[in-house]
Amino acid sequence: MTQKKRIGILTSGGDCAGLNAVISAVVEAASKKGWEIYGIHNGTDGITETPHSYEVLTVHNFSDSPWPRLSGSYLGSLNKGVKMESLEEMSKKFAQGVQDLELDAVVVVGGDGSMNIVSNYCKGTKVQVVGIPKTIDNDTPITEFSVGFQTAVQACTKAVDDLELTARSHNRALILEVMGRDAGHLAMHSALAGAADVCLVPEIPYTIDGIINKLKEIKASGRNHAVIVVSEGIKTESGEHLSNKKNMVGEAVYGGIGEYLNNEISKRYKEFQVRTNTLGHVQRSGVPVAFDRLLAYVYGAKAVELLDKGINNHMVIWKCGHVESVSIDDVVKEGTTKLNVHSDYVKAARNLGIYIGEC
Ligand code: F6P
């Protein structure tokens, strides 16, 4: 028999489309069991800081509102925006917070970093923790899909389509710099879907000459324009990441590789005018596509099922069309998932003649 619980739900890390649908799914499924749901504000801050910041979520005030259909996070989120105190300090604050709020469980909607943090905070407490993966980077380990990725692919593919049309009008090679940090999933999926000419990802080395050879081939075929998709996390030819900022935990915020490529190509090849477009945070927003909402609903329902069964420290995953769960410790051990250079996506890109680098 279902035991009455009070659960907290929080979103952590960079936002993405589908977070509100996840929250709604958890609210719906948990309410059916007669549980109370506390929506925690601003990632873990709502628990660790005092006064604690949260609100009671119900089907009536949240799931029946327009929010589940919208992007962003209704609860707010933190993307490495806070300088962490020691793990011990933060764990103490977290334990005190969950005790003050009388939470039996916490659902964390985040990437592997957030899962790791919350799972560590909960160790040594009686609080159950279940994770739901989300990130436009799609690099959360073990699961095939994280919420938000497909909507980001859609946004990037639309940008490729739009750029192709204006490139065509002006005989240009247009560069599109997309997000993804150190994983090339977003760049590769959108370059393939948008039939771009070049796709550069962090997992595959490239040369400027390789790009120029592709542009020459396009020119020789009688076509006067090209679209180049580049992941923000690729390095320069001499092996440096480009970044002019650091986030609050000291990690480089990537940006600028598109402009670097523009300069290098333009110096050595004059047949196309080259321009750079950095897509930026629109990739994290937009109307969530159906698959992200579907994932959100099945993940949310599964998370509540796990909590009900007393399963602790697990993250829900999508594997070959099934929803399962794995230990968060295994997720953390695995490290972020890079683009598999032997995948069918990469093979297809190569076989379709997209220049993807030297492999
Ligand atoms: O991890 C998600 C992500 O959107 C990355 O693709 C990107 O590098 C980063 O977050 C941007 O972070 P910020 O929110 O600090 O601009």
Side-chain angles (χ1 to χ4, degrees), residues 79 135-137 179-181 232 281 284:
N79 196 11
T135 166
I136 67 162
D137 304 342
M179 286 185 170
R181 277 208 73 82
E232 63 175 2
H281 292 82
R284 298 226 298 243

Side-chain angles (χ1 to χ4, degrees), residues 197-234:
D197 301 295
V198 174
C199 175
L200 305 178
V201 293
E203 294 84 353
I204 304 176
Y206 69 94
T207 60
I208 303 289
D209 284 344
I211 304 170
I212 291 173
N213 287 341
K214 179 66 196 177
L215 295 180
K216 284 181 180 164
E217 183 192 309
I218 291 168
K219 188 84 183 162
S221 75
R223 177 148 65 88
N224 271 333
H225 66 279
V227 178
I228 298 172
V229 176
V230 47
S231 180
E232 63 175 2
I234 69 161

Side-chain angles (χ1 to χ4, degrees), residues 92-110:
K92 257 194 231 157
K93 288 187 178 179
F94 192 86
Q96 186 59 52
V98 291
Q99 193 181 320
D100 295 345
L101 298 177
E102 297 180 25
L103 296 178
D104 299 299
V106 173
V107 176
V108 51
V109 191

Side-chain angles (χ1 to χ4, degrees), residues 7 15 64 68 75 114 181 246 250 261 264 286 318 327 336-337:
I7 66 173
D15 71 345
D64 285 349
L75 295 172
S114 305
R181 277 208 73 82
K246 289 213 161 102
L261 292 173
E264 293 305 310
W318 183 275
S327 139
T336 52
T337 303

Side-chain angles (χ1 to χ4, degrees), residues 23-266:
I23 300 167
S24 174
V26 170
V27 170
E28 294 260 8
S31 299
K32 292 256 174 313
K33 298 192 180 292
W35 300 354
E36 276 182 303
I37 305 100
Y38 280 15
I40 309 296
H41 296 152
N42 304 323
T44 50
D45 273 10
I47 295 180
T48 54
E49 291 191 345
T50 45
H52 307 305
S53 184
Y54 69 97
E55 65 191 84
V56 176
L57 299 176
T58 63
V59 170
H60 178 67
N61 73 13
F62 188 75
S63 300
D64 285 349
S65 78
W67 273 101
R69 297 168 202 282
L70 303 175
S71 281
S73 171
Y74 173 80
L75 295 172
S77 192
L78 292 175
N79 196 11
K80 296 173 181 160
V82 173
K83 184 87 194 123
M84 289 254 300
E85 295 166 45
S86 73
L87 177 63
E88 200 186 345
E89 263 319 290
M90 291 303 288
S91 301
K92 257 194 231 157
K93 288 187 178 179
F94 192 86
Q96 186 59 52
V98 291
Q99 193 181 320
D100 295 345
L101 298 177
E102 297 180 25
L103 296 178
D104 299 299
V106 173
V107 176
V108 51
V109 191
D112 56 316
S114 305
M115 304 284 156
N116 188 18
I117 290 171
V118 176
S119 149
N120 274 314
Y121 288 173
C122 289
K123 282 185 179 142
T125 71
K126 289 196 179 118
V127 180
Q128 244 181 306
V129 55
V130 166
I132 298 181
K134 65 87 220 165
T135 166
I136 67 162
D137 304 342
N138 209 37
D139 60 353
T140 314
I142 309 182
T143 187
E144 286 163 20
F145 291 110
S146 294
V147 173
F149 174 62
Q150 295 294 350
T151 307
V153 172
Q154 186 70 29
C156 296
T157 305
K158 179 179 184 306
V160 175
D161 287 345
D162 290 345
L163 292 177
E164 202 274 343
L165 294 172
T166 172
R168 189 181 276 273
S169 312
H170 290 278
N171 298 346
R172 282 178 170 163
L174 294 180
I175 297 174
L176 177 68
E177 180 179 319
V178 302
M179 286 185 170
R181 277 208 73 82
D182 299 303
H185 305 283
L186 189 52
M188 184 54 73
H189 282 240
S190 51
L192 259 177
D197 301 295
V198 174
C199 175
L200 305 178
V201 293
E203 294 84 353
I204 304 176
Y206 69 94
T207 60
I208 303 289
D209 284 344
I211 304 170
I212 291 173
N213 287 341
K214 179 66 196 177
L215 295 180
K216 284 181 180 164
E217 183 192 309
I218 291 168
K219 188 84 183 162
S221 75
R223 177 148 65 88
N224 271 333
H225 66 279
V227 178
I228 298 172
V229 176
V230 47
S231 180
E232 63 175 2
I234 69 161
K235 295 179 178 163
T236 61
E237 253 194 333
S238 53
E240 291 145 17
H241 272 133
L242 289 184
S243 161
N244 54 12
K245 278 193 210 90
K246 289 213 161 102
N247 63 25
M248 296 280 282
V249 295
E251 273 178 359
V253 174
Y254 294 153
I257 194 71
E259 201 48 24
Y260 159 84
L261 292 173
N262 181 343
N263 290 332
E264 293 305 310
I265 297 167
S266 304

